[in-house]
Amino acid sequence: MRFEVDTEIAADAEQVWAVLVDVVRWPEWTDSVTQVERGEAGPLAVGATARLTQPKLRPALWRVTELTERREFVWVSAAPGVRTTGEHRLLSLPDGRTRVELAIDQSGPLAGLIGRVYGGLLRRYLRMEAEGLRRRCERG
C-alpha cells in the first residue's frame, strides 16, 4: 500500500529542509504528530532514530535509511507483519519555490489489512504534514 501527497512551498529548499529535518519540532507545525524523541543528539543522518507519537496510532520507532542533504530523507519503521517506509523529498523549482513530495509505503503480510484499516488516517496525516510544513516555511 502506498499513499502520496505533494505541495509547493514559497520558500527555497534550504529553508524547507531545515524545518523538515528538525523532526523534534514537528509537533509545533503538524497536528499529525504529538511528540518526537530523537534517539541520539546531532543532525539527522543515516542510522539516526526517532520515536514518533501520533494520535490514534501506537508510538513508532523510525530509523533513517537514506539521506541526501537538502534533497530527501527516507526512514523506516517496523511492526509485526508490516514495514512502513516514510519518504520526504524536496525539488527546487526555477522560481525559488520548493516542491515537497511525501509518501508512506507499507509492505509485509499485514500491509493490505493495515492499509485498508488505517489508509484514510494515513492520507489525512500526510496532508496535514504537507500543509503544516508549507504554512511553517511560508511564514518565515
Side-chain angles (χ1 to χ4, degrees):
M1 302 293 290
R2 184 171 176 87
F3 308 99
E4 301 174 323
V5 67
D6 60 66
T7 191
E8 291 185 5
I9 299 175
D12 65 34
E14 189 166 338
Q15 179 184 348
V16 176
W17 181 257
V19 173
L20 187 62
V21 296
D22 189 2
V23 296
V24 172
R25 298 184 73 176
W26 283 16
E28 296 176 10
W29 52 263
T30 180
D31 290 336
S32 65
V33 177
T34 55
Q35 183 178 8
V36 178
E37 300 169 40
R38 283 287 309 276
E40 51 285 307
L44 205 61
V46 171
T49 59
R51 179 172 299 283
L52 267 68
T53 303
Q54 298 181 271
K56 301 181 183 179
L57 296 174
R58 288 184 174 178
L61 181 67
W62 293 85
R63 181 175 305 280
V64 177
T65 58
E66 299 174 42
L67 187 141
T68 304
E69 283 292 324
R70 292 182 297 282
R71 177 81 174 108
E72 73 175 329
F73 83 88
V74 177
W75 58 9
V76 173
S77 179
V82 67
R83 175 184 165 101
T84 304
T85 302
E87 303 170 6
H88 311 78
R89 291 192 171 83
L90 307 183
L91 176 64
S92 294
L93 300 175
D95 60 3
R97 293 176 306 132
T98 303
R99 178 182 175 86
V100 176
E101 299 170 348
L102 305 174
I104 292 286
D105 189 71
Q106 295 183 311
S107 59
L110 295 180
L113 174 63
I114 301 286
R116 285 190 294 281
V117 173
Y118 290 101
L121 182 66
L122 295 174
R123 283 186 196 91
R124 203 163 41 252
Y125 283 1
L126 281 173
R127 282 193 303 272
M128 290 168 76
E129 183 180 331
E131 287 304 307
L133 180 62
R134 185 185 56 75
R135 282 191 306 272
R136 176 62 154 242
C137 292
E138 289 182 353
R139 79 164 195 229

